[in-house]
Amino acid sequence: MKQASQTSTILLLVVLLFCTLINAEALDKRGIASCYKKVRITQYWIPKEGDVDMKNDGTKVTLNGSKNKSLKTDNGKTIAKVSKNTYEKFQMEGTGLLKNGVMVNLDSGYDSFMKINRKKTPYGLGSNSNGLQPWVSVAANDIKKGTTLYIKQLNGLKLPDGKVHNGCVRVDDEGWSLSGCQIDFFVLQYSAYKVLTKKIPKYITVKAQKCTIKNYVTSSVRKWAVLK
């Protein structure tokens, strides 16, 4: 009787282990939450001093004017002086590009900034201090960083610089304003956002899968970004 009980226990454990492996395999195949079959997509970019940009309420603003605000480091050292609307836009996006090519990022507080090493990360920092890649990086708060995703609606999309997207993106960032089940597409420039917002639907289909990451940066993009 005791031996039969032990045998039943072992069989039960084997069945539970088998079920766990099946479930794990299903999770691996699914990869991401089912809500990504139809998910909202937004866009974000790097505001540049002197460019036309957009406020939170959707109104246009030119990032120039009297330079009466100081971008300061944690220890109080001034990086540069900028206009009030430039300062506020840099705060809102968490990053910004000066005309002279210096890129800043919010540091430990809302009023402290740090210089970005543009040799290592020419287009800004992701959530793990990794480099962002224009028209490749996306932010998502509920997908593992480094995951490659295929977005059907981006496949064949003509980008503002003339290159054609293959639909493959990578999770490189998180967004403080993002909810779960949302993709924020890094488009580098406000001018690119204006073009792409008319081409990309509000809702997209996302699959977690291996795909080929392409480089969409052209010489004109590097010139805008003040890169040699």
Side-chain angles (χ1 to χ4, degrees), residues 27-121:
L27 180 62
D28 287 342
K29 287 182 178 180
R30 186 173 70 244
I32 55 178
S34 60
C35 60
Y36 279 94
K37 291 178 180 178
K38 184 179 181 181
V39 66
R40 183 174 173 236
I41 185 170
T42 50
Q43 300 173 51
Y44 70 113
W45 57 89
I46 297 175
K48 182 181 177 182
E49 182 185 21
D51 276 11
V52 173
D53 213 291
M54 186 175 70
K55 294 182 178 180
N56 275 340
D57 61 6
T59 58
K60 289 183 181 180
V61 59
T62 302
L63 304 183
N64 59 13
S66 178
K67 297 185 177 184
N68 52 15
K69 295 284 290 183
S70 295
L71 298 170
K72 292 186 177 183
T73 63
D74 262 351
N75 59 16
K77 183 179 178 181
T78 297
I79 299 172
K81 286 192 173 183
V82 296
S83 65
K84 182 175 181 292
N85 51 21
T86 302
Y87 187 91
E88 291 174 348
K89 186 64 184 178
F90 283 15
Q91 280 184 317
M92 187 180 82
E93 293 294 336
T95 189
L97 178 61
L98 299 174
K99 285 182 179 180
N100 62 6
V102 171
M103 186 177 288
V104 297
N105 210 72
L106 281 178
D107 200 351
S108 59
Y110 196 58
D111 292 305
S112 64
F113 293 83
M114 58 182 282
K115 283 185 180 182
I116 301 297
N117 184 338
R118 302 202 66 199
K119 289 184 178 179
K120 292 183 177 180
T121 54

Side-chain angles (χ1 to χ4, degrees), residues 171-185:
V171 181
D172 289 330
D173 205 2
E174 294 179 347
W176 62 268
S177 62
L178 299 185
S179 59
C181 284
Q182 183 178 343
I183 292 290
D184 207 10
F185 186 33

Side-chain angles (χ1 to χ4, degrees), residues 140-180:
N141 288 0
D142 52 0
I143 303 177
K144 185 179 178 181
K145 302 300 168 292
T147 301
T148 53
L149 307 172
Y150 174 72
I151 300 176
K152 178 181 178 181
Q153 291 79 1
L154 295 186
N155 193 356
L157 175 71
K158 188 174 182 180
L159 298 172
D161 65 355
K163 292 201 173 187
V164 178
H165 210 286
N166 70 345
C168 187
V169 298
R170 184 181 59 233
V171 181
D172 289 330
D173 205 2
E174 294 179 347
W176 62 268
S177 62
L178 299 185
S179 59

